C-alpha cells in the first residue's frame, strides 16, 4: 500500500474512532440524565433543560479532553522519535545490531538479518527510518488534534440529542406527550445498537455481538440512573 494512502487510512480511522466514541458517550450520558429526571418525576421543561445542559457541558469536556490527549500523544511520539534520531549519530554501530535483532525476533535468520542490517547501514536515511518504524510502527503520522476534537464534539451533540427528540417535540404531538419516555427509550436503544455495531469496524469483532453489548451496557447505565431518580424523587 502506498504510504500516503496508508497514512490517510489511519487518519480516517482516528476520525471514525472519535465519532463513534463521542456518539456513544453522548447518547448514554444524555439518556442517563433523561432517565434520572423522568424517574424523579421532573417536569418536561426540566428534563429538556438538564438534557441540553449535559449536551453542551459534557460535549465541550470530551472535545477538550480529546484535543489535549491527541496533542500530548503526538508531541510525546515526535519527541521520542527526535531523541532516537540523535542517538543514531553517537551509537550507529549499536543501532545496526539492534535492527538485526529486531529482524531476528520476526523470524529472520541471524545471517540474513545481519546482511540486511549491514546493507541498510550504507543508506543512513533509509536505515534511520527503518529503525524508527521498527520501534514506533505507524505512530509517526501527522496528527490533527483540533479536527479530532471537533469530530468528537459534533458527534456527541448529534447522537446525544436523540434521547431528547421526543421531549423537544412532545408539545406538538399528543402521542409523544403521552409516551415521551417510551419513545426516548426506543430511539436510544436503536441508536446504541447501531453505534455498537459501527464500533465493530474498529475492533474487528462481530457486529451483532458488539451492538448488543453496547445496548446492554447503555441500558444498564440508564436503568441505574432511572432507579436513582425514582428513589430520590420519592
Amino acid at each position: 500500500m502506498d504510504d500516503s494512502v496508508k497514512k490517510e487510512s489511519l487518519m480516517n480511522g482516528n476520525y471514525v474512532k472519535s465519532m463513534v466514541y463521542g456518539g456513544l458517550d453522548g447518547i448514554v450520558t444524555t439518556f442517563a440524565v433523561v432517565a434520572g429526571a423522568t424517574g424523579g418525576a421532573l417536569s418536561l421543561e426540566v428534563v429538556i433543560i438538564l438534557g441540553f445542559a449535559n449536551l453542551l457541558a459534557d460535549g465541550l469536556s470530551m472535545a477538550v479532553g480529546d484535543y489535549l490527549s491527541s496533542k500530548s500523544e503526538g508531541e510525546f511520539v515526535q519527541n521520542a522519535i527526535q531523541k532516537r534520531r540523535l542517538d543514531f549519530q553517537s551509537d550507529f554501530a549499536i543501532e545496526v545490531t539492534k535492527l538485526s535483532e529486531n529482524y531476528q525476533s520476526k523470524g529472520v535468520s541471524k545471517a540474513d538479518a545481519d546482511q540486511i542490517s549491514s546493507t541498510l547501514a550504507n543508506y543512513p536515511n533509509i536505515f534511520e527510518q527503518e529503525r524508527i518504524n521498527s520501534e514506533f510502527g505507524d505512530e509517526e503520522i501527522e496528527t490533527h488534534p483540533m479536527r479530532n476534537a471537533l469530530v468528537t464534539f459534533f458527534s456527541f451533540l448529534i447522537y446525544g440529542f436523540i434521547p431528547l427528540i421526543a421531549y423537544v417535540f412532545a408539545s406538538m404531538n399528543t402521542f409523544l406527550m403521552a409516551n415521551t419516555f417510551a419513545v426516548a427509550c426506543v430511539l436510544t436503544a436503536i441508536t446504541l445498537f447501531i453505534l455498537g455495531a459501527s464500533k465493530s469496524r474498529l475492533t474487528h469483532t462481530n457486529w451483532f455481538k458488539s451492538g448488543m453489548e453496547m445496548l446492554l451496557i447503555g441500558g444498564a447505565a440508564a436503568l441505574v440512573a432511572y432507579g436513582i431518580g425514582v428513589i430520590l424523587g420519592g
Side-chain angles (χ1 to χ4, degrees):
M1 181 184 294
D2 182 76
D3 287 344
S4 61
V5 175
K6 188 176 182 180
K7 287 185 177 182
E8 182 180 357
S9 176
L10 290 169
M11 287 170 58
N12 290 337
N14 287 333
Y15 297 147
V16 171
K17 182 181 70 174
S18 295
M19 182 194 73
V20 171
Y21 289 108
L24 287 173
D25 193 74
I27 194 169
V28 169
T29 57
T30 304
F31 185 72
V33 170
V34 168
T38 302
L42 301 181
S43 66
L44 185 70
E45 292 79 6
V46 173
V47 174
I48 293 174
I49 291 172
L50 290 176
F52 276 101
N54 171 78
L55 269 183
L56 294 175
D58 278 5
L60 285 172
S61 176
M62 278 203 66
V64 171
D66 196 337
Y67 172 81
L68 292 176
S69 62
S70 297
K71 186 172 183 291
S72 298
E73 182 181 10
E75 290 175 345
F76 174 80
V77 172
Q78 293 305 321
N79 288 336
I81 290 174
Q82 184 61 33
K83 183 178 182 300
R84 293 297 291 116
R85 283 176 171 157
L86 293 175
D87 291 341
F88 291 138
Q89 300 174 7
S90 57
D91 300 314
F92 194 77
I94 296 177
E95 295 300 329
V96 174
T97 301
K98 287 183 178 180
L99 183 59
S100 175
E101 292 174 349
N102 180 263
Y103 285 136
Q104 292 176 53
S105 68
K106 296 179 180 179
V108 180
S109 67
K110 185 177 186 306
D112 289 341
D114 288 341
Q115 183 178 1
I116 295 172
S117 301
S118 299
T119 301
L120 288 177
N122 296 322
Y123 306 91
N125 291 334
I126 299 177
F127 176 83
E128 178 183 287
Q129 191 60 49
E130 186 68 14
R131 278 293 292 131
I132 289 174
N133 289 341
S134 70
E135 290 189 27
F136 298 96
D138 295 308
E139 294 294 337
E140 194 183 19
I141 298 172
E142 185 179 1
T143 57
H144 298 281
M146 182 56 71
R147 295 183 190 178
N148 289 340
L150 290 175
V151 170
T152 297
F153 178 70
F154 285 109
S155 179
F156 189 98
L157 289 185
I158 293 170
Y159 288 104
F161 177 67
I162 290 175
L164 295 173
I165 291 177
Y167 290 88
V168 172
F169 296 103
S171 60
M172 303 178 186
N173 186 286
T174 54
F175 176 80
L176 287 180
M177 180 63 75
N179 302 279
T180 310
F181 185 60
V183 173
C185 288
V186 172
L187 291 176
T188 300
I190 293 174
T191 307
L192 278 172
F193 181 84
I194 292 174
L195 283 174
S198 299
K199 181 171 68 70
S200 67
R201 295 186 60 183
L202 298 177
T203 57
H204 303 290
T205 55
N206 181 272
W207 65 271
F208 183 79
K209 181 179 178 181
S210 182
M212 289 302 299
E213 179 184 43
M214 188 53 58
L215 176 58
L216 292 175
I217 292 174
L223 184 62
V224 171
Y226 182 80
I228 293 174
V230 171
I231 294 173
L232 295 181

